[in-house]
Amino acid sequence: MSYDLYFWPSGAASNPRRLAERLADEKGGDLLPDQRVLSFRAELLRRWPGLADRIAPWHHDLGSRQPWGRADLADRFVGVTLPYGWADTSVLPALAGAFGLDSYDPQVEQLLSAWARPQDRRVLDGLAQVGGWVGEEHLVRLLRQISTYIGYAYDDLDEAALTGALEGTNDEAADGWFDYPLAGTPPLLILLAQPPGSAVVSVRVEGTMDLVLATRIETLLDIL
């Protein structure tokens, strides 16, 4: 058995149930093209390549797979058909929300909250650390957004503590990182360093993260 989920630009549907029914018939004329939809689709296929056999509408990113249906809707919505018990279902609304998309479940006829947590709150192996990089000009935005995710009141005192923190750092040296705690729930340790001669900042986020939180932070690092 399987079930469907739909994703479209946030706020685009005044009647989500009716829109989902139209999209099931590939009638997406009410939706405008939106680059965020393509970016979300690309991220889905990057994280879960097996979704290439379960994603709609057809797009050239599916490679040699035989085209089906309309080929002009991929920048308007994403639909996936998943088997019951698919492990990462609860992550998808959070990931979609990070790209500015709504998530709709036609089985329960409801929009899904981007802030929903999975019922299984286990910490999964490999998610104790998330890494990436951002431009130096986006560092404060990154820290403020991560703080929002964990309920930490990031303020001007935090910014003052970070002033000049990157001077002398080196992401190629084990002892070349500056670390800063964010005392939220869960508490996270942010490690920052700059590659020699670079204007970007390497970032590592360490802590007890479930899959949803780790996905949000990883996506944030990807889009900043």
Side-chain angles (χ1 to χ4, degrees):
M1 297 180 65
S2 62
Y3 61 98
D4 299 321
L5 294 175
Y6 291 95
F7 308 90
W8 52 66
S10 182
S14 58
N15 187 331
R17 182 179 65 82
R18 184 172 182 274
L19 177 58
E21 290 173 349
R22 290 176 58 82
L23 296 181
D25 294 328
E26 293 197 321
K27 297 177 180 178
D30 294 340
L31 294 174
L32 297 176
D34 194 314
Q35 182 60 40
R36 295 175 298 175
V37 176
L38 288 176
S39 297
F40 172 66
R41 178 187 174 106
E43 185 65 13
L44 285 180
L45 294 174
R46 183 184 74 84
R47 292 173 183 266
W48 299 283
L51 289 182
D53 295 320
R54 299 181 174 276
I55 199 167
W58 190 87
H59 189 51
H60 62 76
D61 57 8
L62 299 181
S64 60
R65 289 174 175 81
Q66 184 67 30
W68 69 88
R70 292 178 59 178
D72 61 338
L73 296 175
D75 57 356
R76 304 189 187 202
F77 79 97
V78 173
V80 292
T81 299
L82 301 171
Y84 277 101
W86 193 71
D88 296 328
T89 301
S90 59
V91 177
L92 298 184
L95 186 60
F99 283 87
L101 306 184
D102 283 339
S103 307
Y104 180 74
D105 183 342
Q107 286 72 218
V108 296
E109 299 185 352
Q110 289 182 354
L111 290 172
L112 303 177
S113 171
W115 304 101
R117 295 278 182 168
Q119 293 181 356
D120 185 351
R121 298 296 298 274
R122 294 173 302 164
V123 177
L124 303 181
D125 292 340
L127 294 180
Q129 177 177 299
V130 174
W133 59 270
V134 296
E136 188 172 356
E137 70 276 13
H138 295 308
L139 181 58
V140 170
R141 181 182 173 190
L142 172 72
L143 296 177
R144 285 188 178 277
Q145 190 61 53
I146 292 175
S147 296
T148 298
Y149 292 159
I150 63 174
Y152 174 70
Y154 186 95
D155 58 21
D156 293 343
L157 293 177
D158 294 286
E159 290 192 30
L162 290 166
T163 300
L166 295 175
E167 296 178 6
T169 60
N170 182 347
D171 71 349
E172 297 178 358
D175 60 352
W177 293 72
F178 173 81
D179 59 81
Y180 192 77
L182 297 179
T185 305
L188 298 177
L189 184 66
I190 312 297
L191 295 99
L192 307 170
Q194 285 188 297
S198 175
V200 303
V201 180
S202 295
V203 180
R204 296 206 311 261
V205 182
E206 298 181 352
T208 305
M209 294 175 277
D210 63 21
L211 185 56
V212 172
L213 178 58
T215 297
R216 288 178 183 159
I217 295 174
E218 187 178 28
T219 300
L220 190 61
L221 286 166
D222 286 344
I223 64 179
L224 285 181

